[in-house]
Amino acid sequence: MLFVQRMFQEHIIRRGRRYIRRLNSWLLNTTMQSYWDEIENFKNKLFDKLTAKDEKVLEIGIGTGPNMRYFAARNVNVTLLGLDPNPKMKKYARKAAVRAGLNPKNFIFKQGVGEAIPLEDGSVDAVVATLVLCTVSDVTRTLNEIKRVLRPGGSFIFLEHVAAEDGSLFRCLQKLLDPLQQIFADGCHLTRNTRECILEAGFSGGAEIETVSMYSFPWITRPHIYGVAYK
């Protein structure tokens, strides 16, 4: 009887996680347009760092594919590897690739996590991560994996929401809402000091990091950083 109860509990938990992931996929695909519009300028600056030599690019946490058009605008023939732990994102990302004009054969979706990237050492020219380091379970390990898969001279392009200033009311609100955010936003954390993590990761070519505030939904993720680090 105890075995049956445990099996039933595990079944309920798995189904609950699947529904939460489906809900998160749908919300990202339907409610974030104002946010994407606001960060347009910053993303254009970031993706301008990609050159014609960046023929093979990995995007970690590709999600619904909001960055597809930035890739296509700079190199329509780029080979793009999209990594995401949520398999429900695959259909959205593929549709976004087609809409952006990318060659469907050059887009490969891989289910996986940043802490264990399923690629060989030095196998990509650039890595892109937007709103990803807030969700990984181990930021340091993910950054080490990014360095590992980058070729020498490769670039890591990033845009992340981060913790508000210590002691501020906004930081207190982030701490209060952080547990709920992790449940309903696929493991997203509100209080990570990602800037310091990137600076301490040891990118041999240095890092350029800018700080900016976003005012669109969701307001609780207002503080952001964006930039590029070089291997």
Side-chain angles (χ1 to χ4, degrees), residues 8 16 31 33 52-54 73-74 77 98 123 130 141 146 149 164 167 175 179 184 189 212 223:
F8 179 74
T31 66
Q33 189 57 51
K53 295 181 180 179
D54 297 319
R74 287 151 182 84
N77 294 316
V98 173
S123 58
T130 60
R141 186 172 176 181
I146 290 171
V149 301
K175 288 181 179 179
F184 292 104
H189 293 72
V212 67

Side-chain angles (χ1 to χ4, degrees), residues 3-166:
F3 174 76
V4 174
Q5 289 178 337
R6 288 179 177 175
M7 290 292 291
F8 179 74
Q9 290 173 349
E10 291 176 0
H11 174 71
I12 294 298
I13 291 173
R14 286 197 298 268
R15 288 184 64 87
R17 287 173 178 171
R18 286 200 295 269
Y19 284 126
I20 288 175
R21 284 187 169 184
R22 288 177 181 175
L23 176 62
N24 184 56
S25 301
W26 178 82
L27 287 172
L28 285 176
N29 196 52
T30 58
T31 66
M32 297 290 286
Q33 189 57 51
S34 62
Y35 176 80
W36 306 137
D37 291 342
E38 185 174 4
I39 64 175
E40 175 83 12
N41 182 52
F42 305 111
K43 281 196 174 184
N44 277 318
K45 290 179 181 179
L46 281 179
F47 281 84
D48 281 344
K49 300 290 185 179
L50 294 176
T51 69
K53 295 181 180 179
D54 297 319
E55 298 178 349
K56 189 174 183 180
V57 179
L58 166 69
E59 181 171 8
I60 299 176
I62 197 162
T64 61
N67 294 328
M68 295 292 188
R69 58 194 178 94
Y70 300 101
F71 292 115
R74 287 151 182 84
N75 184 0
V76 72
N77 294 316
V78 66
T79 296
L80 179 61
L81 308 174
L83 183 72
D84 202 283
N86 187 348
K88 302 301 180 183
M89 296 295 186
K90 183 176 181 178
K91 64 178 181 179
Y92 296 115
R94 287 198 177 281
K95 290 179 180 178
V98 173
R99 287 196 302 267
L102 289 174
N103 186 337
K105 294 181 180 180
N106 290 347
F107 173 65
I108 303 170
F109 182 91
K110 288 182 174 291
Q111 184 182 354
V113 296
E115 295 89 341
I117 300 174
L119 296 175
E120 296 181 358
D121 296 359
S123 58
V124 298
D125 302 306
V127 176
V128 174
T130 60
L131 309 179
V132 170
L133 297 182
C134 59
T135 62
V136 298
S137 60
D138 190 327
V139 178
T140 299
R141 186 172 176 181
T142 298
L143 291 171
N144 286 335
E145 278 289 275
I146 290 171
K147 290 191 299 179
R148 180 184 65 79
V149 301
L150 276 173
R151 64 166 172 78
S155 58
F156 168 44
I157 294 173
F158 54 88
L159 187 153
E160 299 287 337
H161 69 79
V162 295
E165 184 179 353
D166 281 336

